[in-house]
Every structure is written in structure tokens, then in C-alpha cells.
């Protein structure tokens, strides 16, 4: 075997090994824990919280969306966006956002109760009660979120009754008197 053949064989093996190593995930891409959110995402979420506390809901949404672009597993940013949607009077959008958060963690009490409150806002009382039951199972102690959802359900149910009474026709009672003058 000549030096040239030996060098070609080594080069071929080195090239093959390099391709195998290049196809392996790097340490930073290796599976991270679900609660290991990238720092950039956390920073953007914090900026969103600051904007939200100042009443800049549109700016807050921009920061939360950027936080999710940096790390789509940032469940807290999803929940924060859902809370903003509720504050903007968009319960349907909030319900969808809470659903996304629940896909990441099905037992997240904040997401369960938030979705339940948004469902109650839309008048879906039975679905809100289902979320309440799930939140009660997930919460081992008395959770303030569960109490808030219970209150939202009662309030929403009483609003529905009042609204139904407002649109129901009132019966007209007439008294018939005899024709005596």
C-alpha cells in the first residue's frame, strides 16, 4: 500500500466521522427541561410585564410574542398573552391561548382557571365548570385561582339569568270587567 492510498483511506474515514459528528445535536440543542426557558425569552417576557403594568397592552403583546419567538415553550408568556386578551375583551382569543399553555402542561392551575374564566366570560358555564373541576384536582391546597374561577362562574351565571329576563317578553295581564255601567 502506498502512502497515497493510505492517506486517501484515512481522509475518507475522517470525512465519514466528521459527517456523523456534524449530524449529532450540540450540547445547547440537547433536550432541555420544560421549565428551562431560554434567558432571552424570559427577558422579553419581563419587558412585556412592565409594559402591561403601565397599561400598554399592545406593547405587552409585542414583547410576549417576541418571547415566544425566542422560546416557544415559555408557558408563562402564553398565559400572560391570554390575560391581556381577556383584558382587551377578547375571551375567544384568550381561550385559545390558554389551550396552547395547557398543551405544554395540562395541570397548570393558572391556565386551567384562566381558561375557565374566559369560558365563563363567553357564557359557556358548563365548560367553565369542567375547568373548575380539573383545577380543583390539580390544586392540592386552596388555590386563590380556583376561588376566583368559582366567583366568575357564579357571576356569569347570574348575568345570564338577568339577560334572559331582559329579553323575555313580559306577559300582559288584562282584567275583564263585566259590561255593567
Amino acid at each position: 500500500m502506498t502512502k497515497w492510498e493510505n492517506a486517501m483511506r484515512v481522509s475518507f474515514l475522517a470525512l465519514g466521522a466528521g459527517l456523523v459528528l456534524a449530524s449529532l445535536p450540540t450540547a445547547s440543542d440537547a433536550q432541555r427541561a420544560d421549565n428551562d426557558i431560554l434567558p432571552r425569552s424570559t427577558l422579553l417576557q419581563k419587558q412585556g410585564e412592565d409594559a402591561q403594568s403601565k397599561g400598554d397592552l399592545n406593547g405587552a403583546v409585542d414583547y410576549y410574542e417576541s418571547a415566544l419567538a425566542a422560546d416557544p415553550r415559555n408557558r408563562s408568556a402564553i398565559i400572560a398573552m391570554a390575560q391581556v386578551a381577556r383584558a382587551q375583551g377578547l375571551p375567544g382569543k384568550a381561550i385559545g391561548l390558554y389551550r396552547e399553555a395547557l398543551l405544554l402542561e395540562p395541570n397548570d392551575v393558572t391556565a386551567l382557571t384562566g381558561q375557565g374564566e374566559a369560558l365563563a366570560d363567553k357564557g359557556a358555564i358548563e365548560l367553565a365548570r369542567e375547568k373548575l373541576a380539573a383545577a380543583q384536582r390539580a390544586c392540592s391546597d386552596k388555590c386563590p385561582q380556583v376561588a376566583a374561577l368559582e366567583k366568575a362562574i357564579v357571576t356569569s351565571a347570574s348575568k345570564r339569568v338577568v339577560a334572559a329576563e331582559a329579553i323575555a317578553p313580559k306577559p300582559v295581564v288584562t282584567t275583564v270587567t263585566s259590561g255593567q255601567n
Side-chain angles (χ1 to χ4, degrees):
M1 189 183 274
T2 66
K3 281 185 169 182
W4 174 252
E5 290 173 326
N6 198 19
M8 288 299 290
R9 186 178 300 165
V10 171
S11 296
F12 182 71
L13 289 173
L15 179 62
L19 288 173
V20 169
L21 290 174
S23 67
L24 295 175
T26 62
S28 65
D29 290 340
Q31 289 188 356
R32 294 179 285 141
D34 285 343
N35 59 357
D36 186 18
I37 304 301
L38 295 175
R40 175 79 178 137
S41 180
T42 305
L43 175 65
L44 289 164
Q45 178 187 343
K46 175 69 174 119
Q47 290 173 320
E49 291 167 359
D50 291 343
Q52 186 176 354
S53 70
K54 293 175 184 172
D56 181 10
L57 299 182
N58 292 329
V61 168
D62 290 343
Y63 282 116
Y64 294 143
E65 287 175 346
S66 297
L68 289 171
D71 192 341
R73 296 173 310 120
N74 189 340
R75 193 174 71 244
S76 296
I78 297 170
I79 291 171
M81 281 181 53
Q83 292 168 342
V84 169
R86 281 195 66 218
Q88 292 174 324
L90 304 169
K93 182 176 181 178
I95 291 166
L97 289 164
Y98 285 122
R99 184 180 310 116
E100 286 183 41
L102 289 168
L103 289 173
L104 294 171
E105 174 52 57
N107 293 319
D108 186 316
V109 175
T110 302
L112 285 168
T113 55
Q115 189 176 45
E117 289 178 20
L119 286 164
D121 290 346
K122 283 198 66 97
I125 302 301
E126 289 309 311
L127 291 174
R129 287 187 178 126
E130 289 176 19
K131 295 300 174 184
L132 174 61
Q136 289 170 329
R137 285 190 300 271
C139 183
S140 58
D141 278 335
K142 278 288 197 187
C143 295
Q145 301 98 321
V146 171
L149 176 53
E150 289 172 336
K151 182 179 177 184
I153 290 171
V154 168
T155 302
S156 186
S158 67
K159 284 181 187 176
R160 284 181 56 196
V161 170
V162 170
E165 290 172 353
I167 60 173
K170 302 218 187 275
V172 177
V173 178
T174 56
T175 56
V176 179
T177 59
S178 61
Q180 295 177 349
N181 286 347

